[in-house]
Amino acid sequence: MVHDVILLQVPLPKLEELQKTIFSSEVLEFIAALHRNFDKKIELLYENRKRRAVEIKNDPFIDFKNSPERRDKSWKIAPLPIRLQNRHLDLGDVSASNTAHFVVALNEDVQGIQVDFDDGHCPTWRNQLLAFNNINLAVNGKLQGAPLTITTCPVLMFRPRAWNMIEHNILVDGKEAIGPLVDFAVLMYHNARKLYEANSGPYFYLSKLESASEAQLWNEIFVWAQKEFKLPQGTIKACVLIENIFSVFELEEILYALRDHSLGLNCGIWDYCASIIAKFGSRSEYQLPDRSKYVNMDRHFLISYLRLVVSTCHARGAHATGGMAASILKPGSDGTDDESKAIISEILEMKLKEIDCGVDGFMVYDARTVPHVNELWKKNGTMPNQIHRKFDCNVTPHDLLSIPSGGVTMEGLQNNIAISILFVYYWLAGVGHFFYNGKIEDSATAEISRYQIWQWIRFSAALEGASGERVTSRLVEDRASDFVGRAHRRLCRSGAERKRLTAARYMSLELVLSRDPPEFITSYLNDNHKFRTLHNKALLSSL
């Protein structure tokens, strides 16, 4: 059999040499080897996900495993290197394809940067090339405006695409490549040795894992890659984002699977809530109320989730980190105006609650809030972490799935519609996150927004204070039309942008009216003909 790796993209104008460097023959060989070693196991992962999705619809009960890893209270994860002892603050949603934003992040007084190829990043071919190149330059001290040595930068926490994402621009042995494998391969090939020699990595965030078996697969990939690069076993460290309802029932097993490579677990509220609807939401008892009014970390199901993650991690010597503060200050503000002070105060109040719950760190998006959050840690966390704090935690399956009471508001519905449409609009433009009503919005908020609309239509949810009015497909279509009408005038400056916004409206409606909606909005968009046409016009004629 002839083995081939084919780049289906003709090099973009002015990026020809860059593409040759990023995807050299050696890199392509490494991508191929990675796929050939793990392709069958990844196919099994996809099959297991499908099987479990069917099983949970027929039998919605879920429980913790009675596993050897859970019963054995003696084991702990491997010790962490000095640069990972303090995980107080990361900057989140940093797409390295945005050079200016990436440079700002590299100069900030934070412990880490979530260098994102997932929730906050749109994986167009151009964005991939620019992101890989900017990372390479930063690691080698050659990125203009960034520190001259990677040792003085915050640690780079690479978040490759999740397992649901396919790289349509690369064929390996006749099959489209797996998105996270491509990201991992390129990042490792160009940067692993230099990061290791600088005592600065390579470190990763792993998103959207659904089980310990998926964590075990990543562990096998790490072991294999470390052998390939002649790195000591355990050099790679990874934080698993617990943003899937299935994964919270396998925390012990996930930590154990990655015990030599683990740097703990992270909580992500909106992906987690969206996964509850994805897995259980076709049943009316799992209808999630207006998230802006009734869903926050004070709710029983979410505080139970956070406490379980913290207690499990600390019992095993691992860090537990909280979510990202998505609020942003108004443009040009230095944080001293009254509006900015109120936003900062709200962020600090929210993050103090997480510190009191025992988290060892969390993320913010707006770099202008960093000094204030650092001061919060100085006052409330004198040690590098809180792993010494142990908690007795008797969380039950019922605690994790006790959906809060509450209704649906017109304001909440309209907010969800706007975020759903705008996320698609910006993705079609090649942008993975955007600002709306003073917050950063990415695929996590887009997921929960479109899933809630779908669920409210499905169960004809009553609107609070609306004299018996309910959420219907007609109501959603009308509100979507109203929003796009206003946004056309405010947002769009060209005919192409107006067409893209109109397309985003209809694509969003397709998602919320679907009988069986796709589980991931990013998969839906990444596989969509319109997106691929807009960003992949230079496909080889052989296609």
PDB file of all heavy atoms in Angstrom, residues 466-482:
ATOM      1  N   ALA A 466     -45.394  37.147  30.192  1.00  0.00           N
ATOM      2  CA  ALA A 466     -45.841  37.363  28.810  1.00  0.00           C
ATOM      3  C   ALA A 466     -47.254  36.858  28.576  1.00  0.00           C
ATOM      4  O   ALA A 466     -47.613  36.528  27.452  1.00  0.00           O
ATOM      5  CB  ALA A 466     -44.871  36.688  27.848  1.00  0.00           C
ATOM      6  N   SER A 467     -48.053  36.788  29.628  1.00  0.00           N
ATOM      7  CA  SER A 467     -49.480  36.432  29.514  1.00  0.00           C
ATOM      8  C   SER A 467     -49.700  35.155  28.719  1.00  0.00           C
ATOM      9  O   SER A 467     -50.481  35.114  27.758  1.00  0.00           O
ATOM     10  CB  SER A 467     -50.264  37.593  28.877  1.00  0.00           C
ATOM     11  OG  SER A 467     -50.123  38.758  29.647  1.00  0.00           O
ATOM     12  N   GLY A 468     -48.975  34.110  29.092  1.00  0.00           N
ATOM     13  CA  GLY A 468     -49.178  32.810  28.472  1.00  0.00           C
ATOM     14  C   GLY A 468     -48.431  32.584  27.176  1.00  0.00           C
ATOM     15  O   GLY A 468     -48.565  31.520  26.565  1.00  0.00           O
ATOM     16  N   GLU A 469     -47.639  33.553  26.719  1.00  0.00           N
ATOM     17  CA  GLU A 469     -46.880  33.359  25.480  1.00  0.00           C
ATOM     18  C   GLU A 469     -45.789  32.315  25.691  1.00  0.00           C
ATOM     19  O   GLU A 469     -45.169  32.256  26.754  1.00  0.00           O
ATOM     20  CB  GLU A 469     -46.241  34.677  25.015  1.00  0.00           C
ATOM     21  CG  GLU A 469     -45.597  34.559  23.636  1.00  0.00           C
ATOM     22  CD  GLU A 469     -45.069  35.896  23.118  1.00  0.00           C
ATOM     23  OE1 GLU A 469     -45.056  36.876  23.899  1.00  0.00           O
ATOM     24  OE2 GLU A 469     -44.676  35.952  21.940  1.00  0.00           O
ATOM     25  N   ARG A 470     -45.580  31.498  24.675  1.00  0.00           N
ATOM     26  CA  ARG A 470     -44.588  30.427  24.760  1.00  0.00           C
ATOM     27  C   ARG A 470     -43.558  30.566  23.644  1.00  0.00           C
ATOM     28  O   ARG A 470     -43.785  31.248  22.643  1.00  0.00           O
ATOM     29  CB  ARG A 470     -45.268  29.061  24.682  1.00  0.00           C
ATOM     30  CG  ARG A 470     -46.149  28.769  25.889  1.00  0.00           C
ATOM     31  CD  ARG A 470     -46.796  27.403  25.839  1.00  0.00           C
ATOM     32  NE  ARG A 470     -47.518  27.125  27.083  1.00  0.00           N
ATOM     33  CZ  ARG A 470     -46.958  26.602  28.167  1.00  0.00           C
ATOM     34  NH1 ARG A 470     -45.671  26.284  28.161  1.00  0.00           N
ATOM     35  NH2 ARG A 470     -47.673  26.387  29.261  1.00  0.00           N
ATOM     36  N   VAL A 471     -42.421  29.884  23.849  1.00  0.00           N
ATOM     37  CA  VAL A 471     -41.370  29.884  22.836  1.00  0.00           C
ATOM     38  C   VAL A 471     -41.783  28.947  21.715  1.00  0.00           C
ATOM     39  O   VAL A 471     -42.014  27.755  21.935  1.00  0.00           O
ATOM     40  CB  VAL A 471     -40.015  29.449  23.418  1.00  0.00           C
ATOM     41  CG1 VAL A 471     -38.952  29.433  22.317  1.00  0.00           C
ATOM     42  CG2 VAL A 471     -39.589  30.371  24.552  1.00  0.00           C
ATOM     43  N   THR A 472     -41.905  29.469  20.524  1.00  0.00           N
ATOM     44  CA  THR A 472     -42.263  28.676  19.349  1.00  0.00           C
ATOM     45  C   THR A 472     -41.255  28.945  18.241  1.00  0.00           C
ATOM     46  O   THR A 472     -40.489  29.914  18.298  1.00  0.00           O
ATOM     47  CB  THR A 472     -43.664  29.060  18.835  1.00  0.00           C
ATOM     48  OG1 THR A 472     -43.635  30.429  18.400  1.00  0.00           O
ATOM     49  CG2 THR A 472     -44.721  28.876  19.915  1.00  0.00           C
ATOM     50  N   SER A 473     -41.280  28.120  17.222  1.00  0.00           N
ATOM     51  CA  SER A 473     -40.385  28.325  16.090  1.00  0.00           C
ATOM     52  C   SER A 473     -40.675  29.669  15.422  1.00  0.00           C
ATOM     53  O   SER A 473     -39.752  30.387  15.013  1.00  0.00           O
ATOM     54  CB  SER A 473     -40.532  27.185  15.080  1.00  0.00           C
ATOM     55  OG  SER A 473     -41.867  27.094  14.604  1.00  0.00           O
ATOM     56  N   ARG A 474     -41.957  30.045  15.348  1.00  0.00           N
ATOM     57  CA  ARG A 474     -42.326  31.325  14.730  1.00  0.00           C
ATOM     58  C   ARG A 474     -41.747  32.497  15.538  1.00  0.00           C
ATOM     59  O   ARG A 474     -41.230  33.465  14.976  1.00  0.00           O
ATOM     60  CB  ARG A 474     -43.842  31.439  14.616  1.00  0.00           C
ATOM     61  CG  ARG A 474     -44.349  32.797  14.136  1.00  0.00           C
ATOM     62  CD  ARG A 474     -43.785  33.192  12.769  1.00  0.00           C
ATOM     63  NE  ARG A 474     -44.206  32.283  11.734  1.00  0.00           N
ATOM     64  CZ  ARG A 474     -45.347  32.398  11.058  1.00  0.00           C
ATOM     65  NH1 ARG A 474     -46.182  33.387  11.334  1.00  0.00           N
ATOM     66  NH2 ARG A 474     -45.637  31.539  10.103  1.00  0.00           N
ATOM     67  N   LEU A 475     -41.866  32.410  16.859  1.00  0.00           N
ATOM     68  CA  LEU A 475     -41.334  33.474  17.709  1.00  0.00           C
ATOM     69  C   LEU A 475     -39.819  33.609  17.526  1.00  0.00           C
ATOM     70  O   LEU A 475     -39.297  34.720  17.391  1.00  0.00           O
ATOM     71  CB  LEU A 475     -41.662  33.188  19.177  1.00  0.00           C
ATOM     72  CG  LEU A 475     -41.073  34.174  20.196  1.00  0.00           C
ATOM     73  CD1 LEU A 475     -41.648  35.573  19.995  1.00  0.00           C
ATOM     74  CD2 LEU A 475     -41.328  33.680  21.628  1.00  0.00           C
ATOM     75  N   VAL A 476     -39.135  32.487  17.501  1.00  0.00           N
ATOM     76  CA  VAL A 476     -37.676  32.517  17.334  1.00  0.00           C
ATOM     77  C   VAL A 476     -37.312  33.087  15.966  1.00  0.00           C
ATOM     78  O   VAL A 476     -36.396  33.915  15.847  1.00  0.00           O
ATOM     79  CB  VAL A 476     -37.084  31.107  17.521  1.00  0.00           C
ATOM     80  CG1 VAL A 476     -35.609  31.066  17.111  1.00  0.00           C
ATOM     81  CG2 VAL A 476     -37.245  30.655  18.968  1.00  0.00           C
ATOM     82  N   GLU A 477     -38.024  32.672  14.930  1.00  0.00           N
ATOM     83  CA  GLU A 477     -37.753  33.199  13.589  1.00  0.00           C
ATOM     84  C   GLU A 477     -37.992  34.704  13.535  1.00  0.00           C
ATOM     85  O   GLU A 477     -37.207  35.449  12.930  1.00  0.00           O
ATOM     86  CB  GLU A 477     -38.623  32.470  12.562  1.00  0.00           C
ATOM     87  CG  GLU A 477     -38.190  31.032  12.320  1.00  0.00           C
ATOM     88  CD  GLU A 477     -39.164  30.269  11.437  1.00  0.00           C
ATOM     89  OE1 GLU A 477     -40.278  30.781  11.214  1.00  0.00           O
ATOM     90  OE2 GLU A 477     -38.811  29.173  10.981  1.00  0.00           O
ATOM     91  N   ASP A 478     -39.067  35.168  14.179  1.00  0.00           N
ATOM     92  CA  ASP A 478     -39.363  36.602  14.185  1.00  0.00           C
ATOM     93  C   ASP A 478     -38.278  37.386  14.913  1.00  0.00           C
ATOM     94  O   ASP A 478     -37.830  38.449  14.441  1.00  0.00           O
ATOM     95  CB  ASP A 478     -40.721  36.864  14.841  1.00  0.00           C
ATOM     96  CG  ASP A 478     -41.889  36.422  13.974  1.00  0.00           C
ATOM     97  OD1 ASP A 478     -41.671  36.161  12.771  1.00  0.00           O
ATOM     98  OD2 ASP A 478     -43.016  36.313  14.507  1.00  0.00           O
ATOM     99  N   ARG A 479     -37.852  36.883  16.066  1.00  0.00           N
ATOM    100  CA  ARG A 479     -36.829  37.586  16.843  1.00  0.00           C
ATOM    101  C   ARG A 479     -35.479  37.541  16.124  1.00  0.00           C
ATOM    102  O   ARG A 479     -34.712  38.510  16.178  1.00  0.00           O
ATOM    103  CB  ARG A 479     -36.712  36.979  18.245  1.00  0.00           C
ATOM    104  CG  ARG A 479     -37.907  37.247  19.125  1.00  0.00           C
ATOM    105  CD  ARG A 479     -38.042  38.750  19.425  1.00  0.00           C
ATOM    106  NE  ARG A 479     -39.225  39.042  20.238  1.00  0.00           N
ATOM    107  CZ  ARG A 479     -40.391  39.433  19.756  1.00  0.00           C
ATOM    108  NH1 ARG A 479     -40.545  39.572  18.439  1.00  0.00           N
ATOM    109  NH2 ARG A 479     -41.397  39.701  20.549  1.00  0.00           N
ATOM    110  N   ALA A 480     -35.192  36.456  15.443  1.00  0.00           N
ATOM    111  CA  ALA A 480     -33.954  36.371  14.660  1.00  0.00           C
ATOM    112  C   ALA A 480     -33.978  37.384  13.522  1.00  0.00           C
ATOM    113  O   ALA A 480     -32.978  38.061  13.239  1.00  0.00           O
ATOM    114  CB  ALA A 480     -33.767  34.958  14.117  1.00  0.00           C
ATOM    115  N   SER A 481     -35.124  37.511  12.869  1.00  0.00           N
ATOM    116  CA  SER A 481     -35.273  38.480  11.781  1.00  0.00           C
ATOM    117  C   SER A 481     -35.102  39.904  12.295  1.00  0.00           C
ATOM    118  O   SER A 481     -34.426  40.738  11.668  1.00  0.00           O
ATOM    119  CB  SER A 481     -36.644  38.314  11.123  1.00  0.00           C
ATOM    120  OG  SER A 481     -36.821  39.267  10.092  1.00  0.00           O
ATOM    121  N   ASP A 482     -35.696  40.204  13.453  1.00  0.00           N
ATOM    122  CA  ASP A 482     -35.562  41.534  14.055  1.00  0.00           C
ATOM    123  C   ASP A 482     -34.106  41.837  14.375  1.00  0.00           C
ATOM    124  O   ASP A 482     -33.616  42.940  14.095  1.00  0.00           O
ATOM    125  CB  ASP A 482     -36.395  41.630  15.335  1.00  0.00           C
ATOM    126  CG  ASP A 482     -37.890  41.611  15.069  1.00  0.00           C
ATOM    127  OD1 ASP A 482     -38.294  41.812  13.904  1.00  0.00           O
ATOM    128  OD2 ASP A 482     -38.658  41.379  16.025  1.00  0.00           O
TER     129      ASP A 482
END
